[in-house]
Amino acid sequence: MKRLNSQLQEDGCPLELILLIRTLLAGCKEISFRVSQGELAGVLGSTLSDNVQGERQKKLDVISNQILKDILSESGYVKALSSEEEDTVVGCNPDGKYLVSIDPLDGSSNIDINSLIGTIFSIQHAPQWMEPDDPQAFLQPGTQMVAAGYVLYGPSTVLVLTTGRGTHGYTLDKTHGGFLLTRPNIRVPEQTQEFAINASNQRHWEKPMQDYIADLLAGKDGPRGKDFNMRWIAAMVGDIHRILSRGGLFTYPFDYREPNKPGKLRLLYEANPMAFLMEQAGGEASTGTQRIMEILPTEIHQRVPVIMGSKEEVAMCLEYHNREAN
Ligand code: AHG
Ligand code: MN
Ligand code: MN
């Protein structure tokens, strides 16, 4: 089976980027080990602190952030990093070529129930003009990403990665410690009968999403003329991994709960990297009105509505949004 390194070389990835990705993955292997130790290592449960977004941090959020921050800032390849668990940008090596954005532990509410969790990351070029702690440099549209991916700490530890030459899946061989290419060139089926949404928020959605989901739920008897199945893992990594594996539509839509937070998911380290993976696998990713990867970010922890997955189903959902706008 092909190793990660060979695939990255074949994809024409610059050496320094390969080394950066491998460094980041060394951190993820450490997280994978800690996760698998669970209660034996005392990593479950919460801390007494909140992150900048007002969320109570789990011990594993803090541990994962520290592992990745240490390994990335010592690597030399990274000029600065932004993280869900850091209030502001962390300056690293002034000569580093890259910027890294991370969700160190996605799916925090799954930690204590031994369910799916993961790490999400995106990598951009570091502009030469920037000071290492300047957040402005991170505010580039997703189309500028040079790599993005996630590591899913499931029954097996899986990496899904793109450097803009397709989306490839790897499995961590825990006996040798390497990521082996197990799913080259992932393609998302264009059609689907499966969707993922936290339906408990229904009353807070906008009308187009209300109408779209109502028609899915009406199944065979409704305008869609077919039954749909629903799944919700409460970890974007888990839901997106399923959709990359067998198709589907994932959404965390705009909602009216908090007007200054138009969505729940964060652009830099959740929506953008997943959008890049999805598009490289033939899927689509939108806010409902705009392609996610074309958004010009205004701040590092910006939140956006997310609709992504199988091409035809995303297009259908967007039709409901367009109808409403006209
Ligand atoms: P995080 O654990 O990094 O804060 O992210 C959780 C996110 C995302 O992974 C998931 O899809 C969503 O929050 C779940 O939200 P609900 O708890 O509202 O279902
Ligand atoms: Mn997350
Ligand atoms: Mn997180």
Side-chain angles (χ1 to χ4, degrees):
M1 241 175 265
K2 205 191 274 178
R3 300 182 74 90
L4 173 68
N5 220 50
S6 321
Q7 183 63 43
L8 289 174
Q9 279 170 350
E10 219 170 89
D11 286 346
C13 209
L15 178 63
E16 207 153 322
L17 181 57
I18 297 180
L19 295 172
L20 164 55
I21 291 171
R22 292 184 52 175
T23 303
L24 199 155
L25 292 173
C28 292
K29 282 188 227 173
E30 168 79 23
I31 299 171
S32 172
F33 176 72
R34 298 286 194 100
V35 165
S36 67
Q37 291 282 86
E39 274 172 324
L40 299 178
V43 295
L44 306 192
S46 295
T47 64
L48 295 174
S49 52
D50 293 343
N51 65 18
V52 70
Q53 338 213 6
E55 297 160 344
R56 181 51 47 105
Q57 291 176 306
K58 297 276 184 178
K59 285 184 193 163
L60 215 45
D61 287 323
V62 176
I63 293 168
S64 307
N65 185 57
Q66 196 63 47
I67 289 173
L68 294 175
K69 188 164 83 168
D70 288 349
I71 205 163
L72 290 172
S73 55
E74 283 160 19
S75 72
Y77 310 123
V78 181
K79 191 158 184 174
L81 69 91
S82 72
S83 162
E84 180 188 345
E85 309 303 339
E86 297 286 338
D87 299 4
T88 54
V89 159
V90 179
C92 304
N93 174 8
D95 298 323
K97 283 202 181 127
Y98 296 100
L99 302 179
V100 181
S101 297
I102 49 172
D103 178 352
L105 212 291
D106 178 64
S108 303
S109 69
N110 282 348
I111 294 171
D112 295 343
I113 59 168
N114 201 28
S115 192
L116 286 183
I117 47 179
T119 296
I120 311 174
F121 57 90
S122 72
I123 304 175
Q124 304 164 294
H125 282 297
Q128 276 185 343
W129 49 261
M130 75 174 278
E131 293 297 321
D133 57 355
D134 181 359
Q136 194 62 33
F138 283 84
L139 308 183
Q140 310 172 27
T143 48
Q144 301 296 309
M145 284 180 282
V146 294
Y150 62 80
V151 176
L152 178 67
Y153 310 113
S156 53
T157 291
V158 161
L159 161 71
V160 179
L161 179 68
T162 184
T163 56
R165 303 279 298 269
T167 295
H168 304 297
Y170 305 82
T171 305
L172 177 61
D173 178 352
K174 291 187 179 170
T175 51
H176 301 101
F179 282 96
L180 303 180
L181 182 67
T182 40
R183 285 199 205 169
N185 260 314
I186 294 174
R187 303 303 295 167
V188 185
E190 295 192 359
Q191 297 175 335
T192 183
Q193 289 184 223
E194 208 159 62
F195 67 102
I197 191 166
N198 183 342
S200 67
N201 297 323
Q202 191 215 343
R203 67 191 185 286
H204 306 295
W205 303 335
E206 291 182 300
K207 186 166 186 312
M209 193 51 81
Q210 297 275 1
D211 292 347
Y212 170 69
I213 298 293
D215 288 351
L216 298 186
L217 294 176
K220 265 201 184 108
D221 307 326
R224 300 297 304 274
K226 57 179 184 180
D227 289 336
F228 284 81
N229 185 27
M230 201 199 81
R231 288 284 182 269
W232 186 251
I233 290 177
M236 189 187 199
V237 275
D239 282 310
I240 296 303
H241 193 67
R242 182 188 63 257
I243 290 171
L244 287 169
S245 306
R246 65 178 192 212
L249 178 136
F250 170 90
T251 179
Y252 211 113
F254 178 97
D255 79 41
Y256 290 112
R257 270 178 294 182
E258 291 179 71
N260 60 337
K261 291 180 187 166
K264 176 169 186 187
L265 300 174
R266 279 63 50 107
L267 178 59
L268 259 56
Y269 39 82
E270 290 176 322
N272 258 344
M274 293 310 202
F276 194 13
L277 291 169
M278 204 49 84
E279 288 196 9
Q280 285 290 317
E284 297 236 327
S286 168
T287 61
T289 54
Q290 191 182 8
R291 181 181 167 214
I292 286 175
M293 284 174 65
E294 286 177 357
I295 299 172
L296 187 62
T298 52
E299 57 123 349
I300 57 170
H301 297 297
Q302 179 175 350
R303 297 172 190 249
V304 291
V306 169
I307 302 166
M308 63 169 72
S310 293
K311 207 178 187 141
E312 291 189 17
E313 200 50 46
V314 172
M316 178 62 78
C317 182
L318 297 185
E319 245 184 71
Y320 285 70
H321 288 77
N322 292 336
R323 253 186 250 162
E324 189 71 14
N326 294 323

